[in-house]
Amino acid sequence: MAMINDKLKKEILEFRKKRDWEKFHKPKDLAISIVLEASELLENFQWKTDTEVAEMLKGKSKTAIEEEIADIAIYLTYLSHDLGINIEDIIANKLEKNKKKYPADKVRGSAKKYDEY
Amino acid sequence: MAMINDKLKKEILEFRKKRDWEKFHKPKDLAISIVLEASELLENFQWKTDTEVAEMLKGKSKTAIEEEIADIAIYLTYLSHDLGINIEDIIANKLEKNKKKYPADKVRGSAKKYDEY
Amino acid sequence: MAMINDKLKKEILEFRKKRDWEKFHKPKDLAISIVLEASELLENFQWKTDTEVAEMLKGKSKTAIEEEIADIAIYLTYLSHDLGINIEDIIANKLEKNKKKYPADKVRGSAKKYDEY
Amino acid sequence: MAMINDKLKKEILEFRKKRDWEKFHKPKDLAISIVLEASELLENFQWKTDTEVAEMLKGKSKTAIEEEIADIAIYLTYLSHDLGINIEDIIANKLEKNKKKYPADKVRGSAKKYDEY
C-alpha cells in the first residue's frame, strides 16, 4: 500500500519511453506541468464552502480529483527520476527537519504556529 | 524503492497527528498548499535557460528542489489519505486511460500530439 | 482612477529598460512569473477561514497583499506590452463574450451557474 | 490607452452586480481564481521552446492568451475593488521600492542580480 511501488514506477517510466516523450520532459517544463495539474486539482474547490466541498466529495466529482492527484504524482515521478532524486529519502529528510522546526509540544494545535509553517 | 512506503506514510500522518494539525487540513486548503509548493518548486527554474538549469542542478540548489518535491509529496499524502484515495490505484487507472488516449504507435515522438496531451 | 494610466505604464517599462532586463523577459518566463506572484498572493489566505481573512485585512498584512497585486499587474503590463496586446481592448472583448455566455436574467445569483463559470 | 480606464472598470463591476455574483467573490476565492487563470495562461507555453512560442504568437493561439490575460485583469479588478485597493497607487509604491532595491547602475543587464530579483 505504498504511494508508488517499484512496479508502478516502472510502468510510469515505460509509458513515457514507449512514446519517445522523454525528449519533451525538460525539468523546467515538468515543474510547469506540476503547477498546472495542481491548479486543475484546486479548480475543483474554487468558490466552494466547506459544506459544498463535503457534498462534492460524495458525488462523482471525486473522480476528477483523483485524476488530478494521479497526474501530479506521475509528473513528480518523472521529475524525481530525471533528477536522480529518491523521493522517499527526501521526504524522510524533510520530516526530520520539520520535527526540529516544529517541536510537537510547542506547536500542538496552534493556528498561530501553524500559519507560520 | 517505492515512492512512499507504508512506514514513511505512517510517519507523515503521525507528524501531523502529534501536532494536532489535522483540524487545519481541510481539503480545499490542502489543494491550495499543493499549488503553493508546486510554485515554489517552479521558482527555482524561473528565468533560466536549459543550460542554466543544467548548471543549477549540479550545484547546491538541488537541495531546494528536493525540499519542494518532498513538500508536494507530503501534502499529496495528506490529501489522498483524508479523501480515502489510494494513490497507487488512481495512478494505475490514469495510466490505463492514457494508454488508450495516446496509443504508442500513433503518438511516438510527436510534439504535435504531445502538445495536446 | 484607471487601473494603470499611460504615465505609470511608461514608468513600468522604463524601470525595465534602464536595467537592461528586457532580455530576460521571454513571454514564457513572464507567464511563469505571473503564476508565481499569484501564488504568493494566495499564500496570504492559506489555512484561513473567512473570519480570519477579515481580521487579516484589517491588520498590517494588507501591505503584503498589495505588493503581490502590484507585482502581478506589473508583469501583466510587461507581457501585454511585449505581445502587442492592448489590455483594455481584450477586457472589453471578454466582457462582451461573458455577457452572451451568462445572460444576467438566467444566471442571477445562481451558484450552480456560477460554478460552471 | 491606460490598462483599465474608469469606464471599463465600472463595466467590470456592473457585470458582476447584474448577476448578483458579489456574494461568491470572497477574497480567498478571488485569489484562487487569479492563480487558476494565471495557470491557464501559462498552459499556452507548456512544453514549448522559444522558437515554438514565437510561432504560436503569430497564429490563432494569441486569442487564447489574450483571453487569459483579460481574465486575470478582471479578477485583479474585483479583488482590488473589494479590498479598497487603488492599483495605480500600489504599483507606484512598488516601483519606488524596486528602484531602491535594484539601483539601475548596479544591476544593469546582470542575470545574477536579476535572478535574485
Side-chain angles (χ1 to χ4, degrees):
Chain A
M1 269 263 307
M3 198 189 205
I4 302 189
N5 60 44
D6 288 348
K7 190 173 155 289
L8 190 51
K9 190 182 161 188
K10 211 178 140 192
E11 275 183 47
I12 294 173
L13 294 174
E14 269 176 10
F15 175 85
R16 176 171 73 166
K17 198 175 183 184
K18 276 191 182 165
R19 281 152 190 82
D20 193 17
W21 280 352
E22 282 117 335
K23 60 184 175 193
F24 301 120
H25 281 196
K26 284 180 267 188
K28 186 170 181 171
D29 277 304
L30 286 173
I32 289 175
S33 302
I34 292 169
V35 168
L36 301 188
E37 298 299 341
S39 289
E40 289 181 18
L41 171 64
L42 180 55
E43 197 174 1
N44 290 283
F45 298 91
Q46 193 188 17
W47 310 121
K48 290 198 176 65
T49 62
D50 293 349
T51 318
E52 286 160 355
V53 166
E55 251 172 75
M56 168 183 73
L57 291 173
K58 283 183 221 154
K60 70 181 168 93
S61 300
K62 203 173 152 185
T63 314
I65 289 170
E66 289 173 346
E67 292 204 5
E68 303 305 345
I69 291 178
D71 282 333
I72 299 170
I74 289 170
Y75 279 126
L76 271 186
T77 304
Y78 288 137
L79 183 60
S80 302
H81 172 268
D82 294 352
L83 301 188
I85 288 172
N86 181 318
I87 292 196
E88 290 194 320
D89 288 351
I90 61 171
I91 292 176
N93 290 344
K94 194 70 206 291
L95 274 183
E96 281 316 303
K97 199 175 165 180
N98 284 347
K99 277 177 196 170
K100 280 171 199 152
K101 198 172 173 187
Y102 306 103
D105 51 349
K106 278 205 181 172
V107 303
R108 190 171 297 118
S110 160
K112 191 181 170 302
K113 284 286 171 189
Y114 192 69
D115 193 33
E116 294 155 16
Y117 177 74
Chain B
M1 271 261 308
M3 196 189 204
I4 301 190
N5 60 43
D6 288 348
K7 191 175 155 288
L8 188 53
K9 191 181 160 188
K10 213 178 138 191
E11 275 183 47
I12 294 173
L13 294 173
E14 270 176 9
F15 174 86
R16 175 171 74 166
K17 199 176 182 184
K18 277 192 182 163
R19 281 150 191 82
D20 193 17
W21 280 353
E22 281 118 334
K23 60 185 174 191
F24 300 120
H25 282 196
K26 286 180 265 187
K28 187 172 180 169
D29 278 304
L30 285 173
I32 288 175
S33 302
I34 292 169
V35 168
L36 300 189
E37 299 298 341
S39 289
E40 289 180 17
L41 171 64
L42 180 55
E43 196 174 1
N44 290 282
F45 297 92
Q46 194 186 15
W47 310 120
K48 290 198 176 66
T49 62
D50 292 348
T51 318
E52 286 159 355
V53 167
E55 249 171 77
M56 168 183 72
L57 292 172
K58 282 184 223 154
K60 70 183 169 95
S61 300
K62 203 172 153 186
T63 313
I65 289 171
E66 288 173 347
E67 292 205 4
E68 302 306 343
I69 292 179
D71 281 334
I72 300 170
I74 289 170
Y75 280 126
L76 271 186
T77 303
Y78 288 136
L79 183 59
S80 302
H81 172 269
D82 294 351
L83 301 187
I85 287 172
N86 181 316
I87 291 197
E88 290 194 319
D89 287 352
I90 62 172
I91 292 176
N93 290 344
K94 194 71 205 293
L95 274 183
E96 281 318 302
K97 201 176 163 179
N98 284 348
K99 278 178 194 168
K100 278 170 199 152
K101 199 173 172 186
Y102 307 102
D105 52 349
K106 278 205 181 172
V107 303
R108 189 171 298 119
S110 161
K112 191 182 169 299
K113 284 286 171 188
Y114 192 69
D115 194 34
E116 293 155 15
Y117 177 73
Chain C
M1 271 262 306
M3 197 189 205
I4 302 191
N5 60 44
D6 287 348
K7 191 174 154 289
L8 188 53
K9 190 181 160 187
K10 212 178 137 192
E11 275 183 47
I12 294 173
L13 294 173
E14 270 176 9
F15 174 84
R16 176 172 73 167
K17 200 177 182 182
K18 276 191 182 162
R19 281 151 190 81
D20 193 18
W21 281 352
E22 282 118 333
K23 62 185 173 191
F24 300 119
H25 281 196
K26 285 181 265 187
K28 186 170 181 170
D29 278 305
L30 285 173
I32 288 174
S33 302
I34 292 169
V35 169
L36 300 188
E37 299 297 341
S39 289
E40 289 180 16
L41 171 63
L42 180 56
E43 196 174 2
N44 290 283
F45 298 91
Q46 193 187 16
W47 309 118
K48 291 198 174 67
T49 62
D50 292 349
T51 317
E52 288 160 354
V53 167
E55 249 171 77
M56 168 184 71
L57 291 172
K58 282 183 222 155
K60 68 182 169 97
S61 301
K62 203 173 153 186
T63 314
I65 289 171
E66 288 174 347
E67 291 205 5
E68 302 305 343
I69 291 179
D71 281 334
I72 299 170
I74 289 170
Y75 279 126
L76 271 186
T77 304
Y78 288 136
L79 183 59
S80 302
H81 172 270
D82 294 351
L83 302 187
I85 287 172
N86 180 317
I87 292 197
E88 289 194 320
D89 288 351
I90 63 172
I91 292 176
N93 291 345
K94 194 71 207 291
L95 274 184
E96 281 318 302
K97 199 174 164 180
N98 284 348
K99 279 177 194 168
K100 280 171 198 151
K101 198 172 172 187
Y102 307 102
D105 53 349
K106 278 205 181 172
V107 303
R108 189 171 297 120
S110 160
K112 191 183 169 300
K113 284 285 172 190
Y114 193 69
D115 193 34
E116 294 157 15
Y117 177 73
Chain D
M1 271 263 305
M3 198 190 204
I4 301 189
N5 60 43
D6 287 349
K7 190 173 155 289
L8 188 53
K9 190 181 161 187
K10 212 177 138 191
E11 276 183 47
I12 293 172
L13 294 173
E14 271 176 8
F15 175 85
R16 176 171 73 166
K17 199 175 183 183
K18 277 192 181 162
R19 279 152 191 83
D20 193 17
W21 281 352
E22 282 118 333
K23 61 183 174 193
F24 300 120
H25 281 196
K26 284 180 267 187
K28 187 171 180 170
D29 277 304
L30 286 173
I32 288 175
S33 302
I34 292 169
V35 168
L36 300 188
E37 298 299 341
S39 289
E40 289 181 17
L41 171 63
L42 180 56
E43 196 174 0
N44 290 282
F45 298 92
Q46 194 187 17
W47 311 119
K48 291 197 176 65
T49 62
D50 293 348
T51 318
E52 285 159 357
V53 166
E55 251 172 74
M56 168 183 74
L57 292 172
K58 283 184 219 153
K60 69 180 168 97
S61 300
K62 201 171 153 186
T63 314
I65 289 170
E66 288 174 347
E67 292 205 5
E68 302 306 344
I69 291 178
D71 281 333
I72 300 170
I74 289 170
Y75 280 126
L76 271 186
T77 303
Y78 287 137
L79 183 60
S80 303
H81 172 269
D82 294 353
L83 301 187
I85 288 172
N86 181 316
I87 291 196
E88 289 194 320
D89 288 351
I90 61 171
I91 292 176
N93 291 344
K94 194 71 207 289
L95 274 184
E96 281 317 303
K97 200 175 164 179
N98 284 347
K99 278 178 195 168
K100 280 170 199 153
K101 198 172 172 186
Y102 307 103
D105 51 348
K106 278 205 181 173
V107 304
R108 190 171 296 119
S110 159
K112 190 181 169 300
K113 284 285 171 189
Y114 193 69
D115 194 34
E116 293 155 15
Y117 176 74

